[in-house]
Amino acid sequence: MFDVSTVWAHLCRVREKNPLVLNVTNNVVTNTTANALLALGASPAMTHAPDDAGELASLADAVVLNIGTPASSYIESMFKAGQAANSKGIPVVLDPVAAGATAYRREVVAELLKRVRLAAIRGNASEILYVAGEQGSSKGADSTNASEEALDAARALAERLGAVVCVSGARDVITDGRSVLAVDNGHPMMTKVTGLGCTATALVGAFAACAGGADDMGGRLAATTTAMAVMGLAGEVAAQDAPGPGTLQVRFLDSLYAMDEELIRSRLKLAAL
């Protein structure tokens, strides 16, 4: 059963273990995601260099790949990091930013799915619809589809890849292909801070690092759901009385750092679908 106690237990595990999360991410969000991982209790490592991506991945507890700014060296680093992680049973999490927007991004996603075994994917509805082989519409990295519209596609994708799939939005929907959980925490102002979606993927990496082994789908489902719950709760708290997104961005880190069981118990909005 997934409930408040599960979320709190997973958060305590991250804080105790302090997992090393390697991020081969886009150059817009590197600082934001690194600081969020630190505030959560994880340890970030960042690289865009193919020459050290594989070695760093071998040292990490999880690897996060993000195609938001897909320079060729970044993509080469992703392949090397992902394959090195696979060889050691280290979970790999993918953020397919604007996956269907250009021919190059479509090619990159197709190659990543072929060459890297994924533990989890987190994207908005349009991104997940595209990765699953269906038609999604986007405006850059923003979705024009609601998360529920991608639920069937997410289930099919999760079964095909053997990975947990998270469709984020006003409601976050997470599935392992069979079970479906929904998180309704968060705040609309979060969409006015660039990179918070990418930050959610980084948090998935941190929780996946402390979940069960590579074949523990239930552990990965719980880890991904916990990441989205913690993300949404931190955003809600940060938005309280915030005059704008600049204040929210700073308070978001404080909220991650200070999150406790009482807050989770009083505010978590979780449902099984």
Side-chain angles (χ1 to χ4, degrees), residues 135-203:
Q135 185 63 45
S137 56
S138 64
K139 184 175 67 175
D142 297 325
S143 178
T144 56
N145 298 94
S147 54
E148 290 90 341
E149 294 177 61
L151 177 54
D152 288 342
R155 274 180 165 148
L157 182 63
E159 286 192 3
R160 174 159 60 92
L161 297 180
V164 172
V165 177
C166 171
V167 188
S168 61
R171 161 174 272 194
D172 301 316
V173 178
I174 307 99
T175 182
D176 61 1
R178 297 180 297 277
S179 300
V180 181
L181 296 170
V183 175
D184 288 301
N185 294 101
H187 192 277
M189 198 187 298
M190 295 172 73
T191 64
K192 302 301 182 184
V193 179
T194 189
L196 285 190
C198 301
T199 298
T201 308
L203 297 194

Side-chain angles (χ1 to χ4, degrees), residues 108-261:
V108 166
V109 169
E111 283 299 308
L112 281 168
L113 294 183
K114 284 180 188 176
R115 295 165 60 179
V116 178
R117 186 174 67 255
L118 301 173
I121 303 175
R122 188 224 59 91
N124 63 39
S126 297
E127 292 160 351
I128 296 302
L129 283 167
Y130 173 76
V131 176
E134 300 187 21
Q135 185 63 45
S137 56
S138 64
K139 184 175 67 175
D142 297 325
S143 178
T144 56
N145 298 94
S147 54
E148 290 90 341
E149 294 177 61
L151 177 54
D152 288 342
R155 274 180 165 148
L157 182 63
E159 286 192 3
R160 174 159 60 92
L161 297 180
V164 172
V165 177
C166 171
V167 188
S168 61
R171 161 174 272 194
D172 301 316
V173 178
I174 307 99
T175 182
D176 61 1
R178 297 180 297 277
S179 300
V180 181
L181 296 170
V183 175
D184 288 301
N185 294 101
H187 192 277
M189 198 187 298
M190 295 172 73
T191 64
K192 302 301 182 184
V193 179
T194 189
L196 285 190
C198 301
T199 298
T201 308
L203 297 194
V204 171
F207 285 103
C210 301
D215 297 324
D216 183 3
M217 187 70 95
R220 282 187 274 150
L221 178 66
T224 304
T225 304
T226 297
M228 301 313 296
V230 168
M231 184 83 195
L233 288 164
E236 279 184 14
V237 173
Q240 287 180 340
D241 302 319
T247 304
L248 181 147
Q249 185 172 25
V250 174
R251 289 181 180 174
F252 176 78
L253 296 176
D254 294 342
S255 299
L256 280 178
Y257 182 78
M259 191 169 295
D260 58 21
E261 186 176 10

